[in-house]
Amino acid sequence: MKVRHKVSRNEDLLAPEKAVSTAASQVPRYVRVNILKTCVDDVIEFFKRQGYAYLGKAASVEELKALSGKKFLLDLHLPELLVFPSQTDLHDNLLYTSGHIILQDKASCLPAFLLGPVAGSHVIDACAAPGNKTSHLAAILKNKGQIFAFDVDPKRVATMNTLLTRAGVTGCQLVQQDFLTVDPGDRKYSRVTHILLDPSCSGSGMVTRGPGEEAAPSAERLQALAGFQRRVLSHALSFPALQRLVYSTCSLHQEENEDVVQAVLQEWGSAFRLVTAFPSWPCRGLAAFSGAESCLRASPAETLTHGFFVAVLERCREGAAAPSSLPAAAKENPQPGEGTEPGAAPKKRKKKKQRVKE
């Protein structure tokens, strides 16, 4: 956004007369621990040495809402996510500048978490810039496997390269290319089993918006976006070895979410099916079609996040058991905070990565 609006500071993106919206003020500051460089326990200890009070794992969304001052919690759903009061600014913190933590909204962490590829997998991040979800995928893969990250804009690819390098990501090939022009039959992608698709959308779920961005897109704009989203989702499903795909948007509009998923599932017949994503998540998809409740939604009011939509699709196999609601990585390599489903009690890590010293 700073490149697009030709400014150098985050503050310059805000119109001076605009007050912080109610929605923005109640969404906490989420901090994803980058397990490629450190671990949750070490990051907690680092913040405690900086004078922050650690309150343990949150038991409810209400606890997140009540955070204030220099207090923080472990998120109740995601095992590597710490939660600070909304006003907390960590852009100059050593952990951020060294890539040990990623400042990423909780809803934005859901797509990679729910895709959950096991280490060694080949994965496509179809619309990858600026790269937070890509770095999350690399962390889930433990830098073992291959990620192909696409974006058509050279400036965004450059930004992504900087972020991924800082995060310690390896085994990721950045490709400046429109994903719709990628040949699914190319042998290079013959082992791709997982795709994360977070395409361009109206951005209507973002609680903070830049200057000149649409607050309410027109019907024509929504129709055009939905058409693009249907094409790119169908294209993603055409990769021959694909087994699991996550489709996500930061949009509130049914046209870009449930309607897109329904149209593409109808187009593909019985080849793919929706998986019930994150059963314990409180907000489900709108009742636009039978099975839409398998999708999930997020919002400032109900989940204390940006507005978001996520759908998980799996390839059908004849005679196969019902698809699991958990990503394969969660089943085979449980993370702290995972039990029979995401959100179970965390277990202490035995193996620690490098420590960060003040």
Side-chain angles (χ1 to χ4, degrees):
M1 285 174 62
K2 285 190 286 189
V3 169
R4 190 164 71 244
H5 295 290
K6 297 181 174 61
V7 298
S8 59
R9 304 181 310 146
N10 293 339
E11 292 84 354
D12 294 332
L13 292 170
L14 301 173
E17 70 277 6
K18 277 188 181 178
V20 178
S21 69
T22 303
S25 65
Q26 68 185 20
V27 172
R29 165 66 72 188
Y30 292 102
V31 172
R32 177 168 62 81
V33 175
N34 179 13
I35 60 171
L36 293 176
K37 287 196 162 187
T38 185
C39 68
V40 173
D41 290 341
D42 284 357
V43 171
I44 289 172
E45 289 304 313
F46 180 90
F47 278 116
K48 285 165 69 174
R49 292 197 301 272
Q50 288 198 324
Y52 288 86
Y54 177 55
L55 305 181
K57 182 182 176 181
S60 68
V61 171
E62 292 304 314
E63 282 190 46
L64 305 185
K65 193 180 294 187
L67 275 175
S68 63
K70 295 190 72 172
K71 298 174 183 176
F72 71 108
L73 290 156
L74 181 67
D75 183 65
L76 68 160
H77 293 115
L78 301 184
E80 285 143 11
L81 201 65
L82 301 177
V83 192
F84 292 77
S86 60
Q87 301 82 9
T88 308
D89 186 359
L90 298 171
H91 287 90
D92 294 327
N93 190 282
L94 173 62
L95 289 185
Y96 174 70
T97 58
S98 63
H100 288 69
I101 60 173
I102 311 292
L103 305 183
Q104 184 175 1
D105 184 67
K106 178 176 177 175
S108 176
C109 295
L110 291 172
F113 177 73
L114 291 174
L115 187 63
V118 296
S121 300
H122 283 215
V123 183
I124 282 177
D125 190 348
C127 305
N132 282 338
K133 296 182 185 70
T134 316
S135 70
H136 195 182
L137 286 171
I140 292 168
L141 290 170
K142 304 181 177 72
N143 268 342
K144 297 174 182 176
Q146 179 66 54
I147 299 173
F148 301 98
F150 295 91
D151 200 275
V152 71
D153 188 305
K155 289 180 180 178
R156 287 166 62 86
V157 171
T159 299
M160 180 163 55
N161 184 57
T162 300
L163 186 149
L164 296 180
T165 300
R166 184 172 67 196
V169 172
T170 61
C172 180
Q173 181 177 331
L174 304 188
V175 188
Q176 185 194 322
Q177 183 179 355
D178 181 346
F179 178 65
L180 279 171
T181 68
V182 178
D183 178 9
D186 190 326
R187 289 183 61 187
K188 184 189 303 183
Y189 310 120
S190 63
R191 294 174 58 194
V192 169
T193 54
H194 294 72
I195 293 180
L196 192 157
L197 177 59
D198 188 68
S200 299
C201 70
S202 64
S204 52
M206 304 302 289
V207 296
T208 51
R209 309 185 63 78
E213 294 187 45
E214 298 174 275
S218 65
E220 292 77 11
R221 171 69 173 154
L222 278 179
Q223 186 176 2
L225 283 167
F228 163 74
Q229 291 151 357
R230 288 193 299 270
R231 289 195 304 276
V232 74
L233 177 54
S234 185
H235 182 67
L237 294 180
S238 67
F239 281 74
L242 179 69
Q243 296 301 318
R244 187 175 178 101
L245 176 145
V246 165
Y247 172 77
S248 64
T249 76
C250 52
S251 169
L252 304 175
H253 299 289
Q254 179 179 319
E255 293 92 332
E256 299 179 88
N257 297 329
E258 290 87 357
D259 289 355
V260 168
V261 171
Q262 180 185 22
V264 174
L265 284 174
Q266 288 176 344
E267 176 189 344
W268 279 83
S270 59
F272 290 89
R273 58 188 169 188
L274 273 176
V275 176
T276 300
F278 219 150
S280 63
W281 191 260
C283 302
R284 313 310 305 179
L286 303 180
F289 63 94
S290 177
E293 66 278 1
S294 293
C295 307
L296 64 81
R297 280 176 169 259
S299 70
E302 296 185 77
T303 59
L304 287 188
T305 66
H306 290 282
F308 227 79
F309 171 86
V310 183
V312 182
L313 285 71
E314 279 191 352
R315 187 180 296 276
C316 296
R317 301 179 188 86
E318 280 192 46
S324 168
S325 61
L326 280 179
K331 293 181 286 184
E332 297 186 21
N333 300 296
Q335 302 287 335
E338 291 177 20
T340 55
E341 69 175 25
K347 297 179 182 178
K348 192 168 181 69
R349 288 180 180 272
K350 293 181 181 178
K351 183 180 178 181
K352 292 190 177 183
K353 306 269 180 165
Q354 68 189 76
R355 289 183 176 273
V356 182
K357 297 181 180 178
E358 293 179 84

